[in-house]
């Protein structure tokens, strides 16, 4: 049973705001070196090096999904507080998964394949 499975991203952030939960800074925007891949901003890391010839630049970004950086893209953001994130998410027209799930660009079953391989 996964009781939060029917909550939206906005529901989660509104709950965090209402309950005044403290979060680590990883949930908020940071200036990072990034590059575009498959219409997503990817951070330059050991796991996600910039593609050959890619334009690497610094941008204020945050991750709508905090997870495996090899399959998650960033979004442009200046959100530094929970209230900022709530306002940002309330105004967006693209779902969290639609905007940042690199696995979904590989195949519709990519995450299921990862589960079968023991990812979770």
């Amino acid at each position: 049973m996964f009781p939060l499975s029917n909550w939206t991203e906005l529901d989660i952030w509104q709950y965090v705001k209402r309950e005044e939960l403290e979060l680590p800074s990883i949930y908020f925007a940071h200036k990072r070196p990034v590059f575009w891949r498959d219409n997503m901003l990817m951070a330059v890391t050991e796991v996600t090096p910039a593609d050959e010839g890619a334009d690497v630049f610094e941008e204020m970004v945050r991750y709508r999904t905090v997870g495996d950086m090899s399959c998650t893209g960033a979004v442009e953001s200046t959100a530094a507080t929970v209230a900022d994130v709530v306002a940002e998410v309330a105004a967006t027209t693209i779902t969290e998964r639609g905007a940042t799930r690199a696995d979904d660009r590989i195949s519709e079953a990519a995450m299921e394949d990862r589960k079968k391989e023991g990812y979770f």
Side-chain angles (χ1 to χ4, degrees):
M1 178 176 200
F2 188 53
L4 302 180
S5 64
N6 65 337
W7 284 30
T8 66
E9 180 183 12
L10 184 57
D11 292 334
I12 297 291
W13 280 105
Q14 288 173 329
Y15 175 81
V16 169
K17 183 179 177 190
R18 184 181 71 239
E19 298 300 317
E20 300 179 0
L21 302 177
E22 290 187 39
L23 296 176
S25 64
I26 192 170
Y27 287 92
F28 304 106
H30 293 83
K31 187 175 266 193
R32 299 175 187 270
V34 294
F35 64 99
W36 287 102
R37 176 189 289 159
D38 295 328
N39 293 318
M40 289 184 301
L41 281 173
M42 302 297 291
V44 178
T45 70
E46 289 180 17
V47 179
T48 53
D51 299 330
E52 188 174 328
D55 179 29
V56 175
F57 56 99
E58 283 198 349
E59 186 70 53
M60 285 293 290
V61 298
R62 74 176 185 85
Y63 289 85
R64 290 175 70 184
T65 299
V66 178
D68 184 348
M69 71 176 72
S70 70
C71 65
T72 303
V75 294
E76 295 177 60
S77 174
T78 57
T81 67
V82 172
D84 293 343
V85 175
V86 168
E88 190 176 272
V89 172
T92 191
T93 58
I94 299 173
T95 66
E96 170 186 12
R97 292 189 175 202
T100 63
R101 279 274 300 276
D103 267 1
D104 292 343
R105 314 275 168 104
I106 296 168
S107 81
E108 289 183 19
M111 188 55 77
E112 292 304 314
D113 291 343
R114 282 181 181 251
K115 290 176 186 177
K116 289 176 190 173
E117 294 168 0
Y119 178 74
F120 294 105

